[in-house]
Amino acid sequence: MTPSFQPQPEHRFTFGLWTVGNIGRDPFGEPTRKPLSSVEIVHLLADVGAYGVNFHDNDLVPIDATPAERASIVTKFKQALADTGLVVPMATTNLFTDPAFKDGAFTSNDPKVRAYALQKTMQAIDLGVELGAQIYVFWGGREGVETDAAKNPLAAMQRNREAMNFLCDYALDQGYGLKFALEPKPNEPRGDMYNATIGHMLAFIETLDHPEMVGVNPEVAHEHMAGLNFLHGVAQAWDAGKLFHIDLNDQAFGRYDQDFRFGAVNLKSAFFLVKFLEDVGYSGSRHFDAHAYRSEDLAGVKDFARGCMRTYLILKEKAAQWNADSEIQSLVAEINGDDGSTDAFKGAYSPSKAAALKAASFDRQALGARGLPYERLDQLTVEVLLGVR
Ligand code: DIG
Ligand code: MN
Ligand code: MN
């Protein structure tokens, strides 16, 4: 039966309000699309088959909204969720747009800005929980420098840690049951940003007071900007039990943050990522933190959203095909063959095991001469992706 590649709720595809709501402004050009209201975006996402919608506080409630305006906006948004069945799995704070955060939020040199950032984040967490969010993302868009003369990186690290500890305690004190997901990025909009990659974030999390409630929200584009293999970072996060959320998109290496449609640039790396997420049984949101080309109109924005989900589902089908392909699996078995001759050396250390291993003899030339069928295996992978197997 030919799969339909139609998104279903169980696929857990989500989009931020800011993604399909992107109006096409860039550093060198004015908007090319009219703004959409949060209610219109919810209905657009329902129309294309998404499962959920995420938001920064100010995507939904303008930063200067009165309490009455906030109440009215939230009521209408809740109604749109009820009308469409969409849910809000994740929320986050905008700590990067307002000029107050021009030198960072949690890491700002100004203690008043740091305090205001905590206040804004607590209020945003309240809003996210009110709308059902269970994952809370922190992307430190302005946590960085253009010159290291401006800030001692140790002070920045400590300020980040104090803020996260305070907010973890706030969420615990409120009984919110939230999990925090920290999102790394190496640069842009700051010249260099702290906690630049998945690896930095995993190390940082272990220095917190409540590391158990904090994980990562890796983004494809951000690791690619750092020239890194995204799958390897995701696998390390998964291995550490810290893959709490994921931002899917695509990105040419060595460029600004392009936030392209998922699979739009690096199909093979997107394939291995989808295969990994499906093989390990990742049950979190598949969040597309991406936007349509500036050249697109509203219809193009829908094409963008549908394309993200459709490509994910096609690659999921290709992954199942790869896992079931007998020639591929026989090569995988060959690569991982084990004649049992080193069984005595496996597992935990023991002095006798070390002595036996030191006394063992190896045919180093034979080890080096062994053929590895990776060309064949990669060609078969490419042929699965090209649809000729
Ligand atoms: C940018 O990649 C960041 C912001 O869009 C948001 O704070 C976060 C959540 O996906 N990603
Ligand atoms: Mn990005
Ligand atoms: Mn992101």
Side-chain angles (χ1 to χ4, degrees), residues 41-65:
I41 290 171
V42 169
H43 285 280
L44 182 157
L45 290 176
D47 183 35
V48 299
Y51 159 74
V53 58
N54 309 313
F55 61 85
H56 300 87
D57 48 350
N58 300 140
D59 298 336
L60 185 63
V61 179
I63 195 165
D64 291 319

Side-chain angles (χ1 to χ4, degrees), residues 136-354:
Y136 203 82
V137 163
F138 292 79
W139 172 62
R142 297 285 177 190
E143 313 298 3
V145 290
E146 282 69 49
T147 167
D148 282 316
K151 209 166 288 177
N152 176 333
L154 282 180
M157 201 74 61
Q158 182 53 32
R159 292 167 185 169
N160 243 335
R161 182 177 304 116
E162 281 172 12
M164 291 314 303
N165 288 337
F166 186 94
L167 293 166
C168 282
D169 281 328
Y170 175 71
L172 290 168
D173 192 31
Q174 298 298 313
Y176 282 158
L178 279 178
K179 291 170 91 171
F180 286 176
L182 309 187
E183 179 173 345
K185 187 176 180 181
N187 59 69
E188 192 203 30
R190 297 308 299 266
D192 290 292
M193 287 153 77
Y194 300 117
N195 287 330
T197 70
I198 296 169
H200 290 85
M201 277 302 185
L202 291 174
F204 175 66
I205 288 167
E206 293 313 311
T207 70
L208 301 179
D209 292 347
H210 301 284
E212 71 287 349
M213 67 183 280
V214 186
V216 291
N217 174 44
E219 177 175 312
V220 175
H222 300 174
E223 300 300 299
H224 283 194
M225 286 170 70
L228 298 173
N229 180 311
F230 185 65
L231 171 61
H232 297 180
V234 167
Q236 188 150 4
W238 177 266
D239 180 64
K242 295 294 183 185
L243 187 65
F244 287 4
H245 197 264
I246 194 166
D247 275 2
L248 300 174
N249 56 22
D250 213 344
Q251 170 79 34
F253 281 78
R255 306 281 176 82
Y256 65 91
D257 191 4
Q258 295 173 310
D259 290 339
F260 282 152
R261 183 182 79 256
F262 181 63
V265 182
N266 305 286
L267 264 184
K268 194 158 76 166
S269 55
F271 164 74
F272 283 118
L273 174 63
V274 170
K275 182 177 172 331
F276 178 84
L277 294 174
E278 298 302 322
D279 285 351
V280 299
Y282 168 72
S283 60
S285 294
R286 275 80 170 156
H287 175 233
F288 297 105
D289 186 9
H291 55 76
Y293 302 138
R294 183 169 180 264
S295 49
E296 299 301 300
D297 61 10
L298 182 58
V301 168
K302 289 188 174 184
D303 290 339
F304 149 80
R306 291 191 183 101
C308 285
M309 297 183 284
R310 186 171 164 80
T311 296
Y312 187 101
L313 292 174
I314 294 168
L315 293 177
K316 179 180 176 183
E317 177 70 20
K318 296 290 184 186
Q321 186 185 337
W322 195 95
N323 288 340
D325 186 298
S326 56
E327 187 177 357
I328 286 173
Q329 291 311 312
S330 68
L331 287 171
V332 170
E334 178 191 334
I335 289 164
N336 294 288
D338 182 350
D339 62 8
S341 60
T342 60
D343 288 354
F345 309 132
K346 289 176 183 168
Y349 173 84
S350 73
S352 59
K353 196 177 286 186

Side-chain angles (χ1 to χ4, degrees), residues 56-58 92-98 100-106 113-114 116-122 124 136-143 163 167 189:
H56 300 87
D57 48 350
N58 300 140
T92 183
T93 323
N94 185 322
L95 294 174
F96 46 85
T97 297
D98 193 276
F101 301 122
K102 63 188 176 186
D103 186 32
F106 300 149
V113 171
R114 299 201 295 271
Y116 171 55
L118 282 177
Q119 178 196 74
K120 191 173 193 286
T121 304
M122 286 190 286
Y136 203 82
V137 163
F138 292 79
W139 172 62
R142 297 285 177 190
E143 313 298 3
L167 293 166

